[in-house]
Amino acid sequence: MIEFKYNEDKVLKELSTYISSTYDKHYAKNKIQTTEFIFDSGHGVGFCLGNIIKYAQRWGKKDGKNRADLLKMVHYGIILLGMTEDDDETSKEERIREANGLKYSKSNRVVGASEFFGAKAYNEERSV
């Protein structure tokens, strides 16, 4: 067994528990997370990098040396790693859309409300 010098084994367990707990906290509509919409619209890399910088800059200032800020920073890094497994931008977008039961369309990168809710349901909701 490897003897970790910096408690990496314990930190990885803590990180896994933290990430798992976030899935109950997302403001998701129909189980689609905001981060998925952001990646789908082509802004995911910047969003993740921005959040990594945000939480790195915030650590030690807001609520002291808040461990949650470090966990959030690493979590956004993991999201970015997971979304950049390959170099094919289309496959990343397709993967998000297919996971959410949406058909990929290069001309329609952002999910429209009618597509998201289903055109018929969306139109029925808004008819007077």
Side-chain angles (χ1 to χ4, degrees):
M1 178 134 180
I2 297 173
E3 187 176 326
F4 293 100
K5 293 183 180 185
Y6 303 101
N7 296 318
E8 294 96 334
D9 55 337
K10 293 175 186 170
V11 171
L12 287 171
K13 286 179 186 174
E14 179 185 8
L15 181 61
S16 179
T17 300
Y18 166 76
I19 291 172
S20 295
S21 76
T22 67
Y23 278 78
D24 293 335
K25 298 176 184 175
H26 292 288
Y27 302 105
K29 184 70 176 172
N30 295 336
K31 309 255 185 220
I32 299 174
Q33 297 179 14
T34 304
T35 304
E36 293 173 278
F37 280 114
I38 294 168
F39 267 98
D40 189 49
S41 67
H43 302 290
V45 172
F47 176 74
C48 287
L49 291 174
N51 277 300
I52 291 167
I53 293 167
K54 169 188 167 180
Y55 289 110
Q57 290 290 314
R58 184 168 112 159
W59 185 75
K61 296 178 182 102
K62 184 178 179 183
D63 299 324
K65 293 184 178 177
N66 186 350
R67 198 161 181 85
D69 287 340
L70 295 176
L71 292 169
K72 289 175 186 179
M73 185 176 64
V74 174
H75 187 191
Y76 279 105
I78 289 171
I79 291 170
L80 191 54
L81 280 169
M83 291 306 296
T84 56
E85 288 177 345
D86 54 45
D87 293 332
D88 183 6
E89 191 66 31
T90 301
S91 68
K92 286 179 238 174
E93 293 175 23
E94 284 179 300
R95 191 167 57 237
I96 292 169
R97 296 176 72 82
E98 287 172 5
N100 294 309
L102 302 171
K103 196 167 192 170
Y104 178 74
S105 165
K106 195 159 184 109
S107 64
N108 184 17
R109 292 178 66 172
V110 179
V111 177
S114 62
E115 180 183 14
F116 181 72
F117 293 109
K120 185 177 179 182
Y122 179 76
N123 293 330
E124 286 173 1
E125 259 183 44
R126 276 137 188 84
S127 63
V128 178

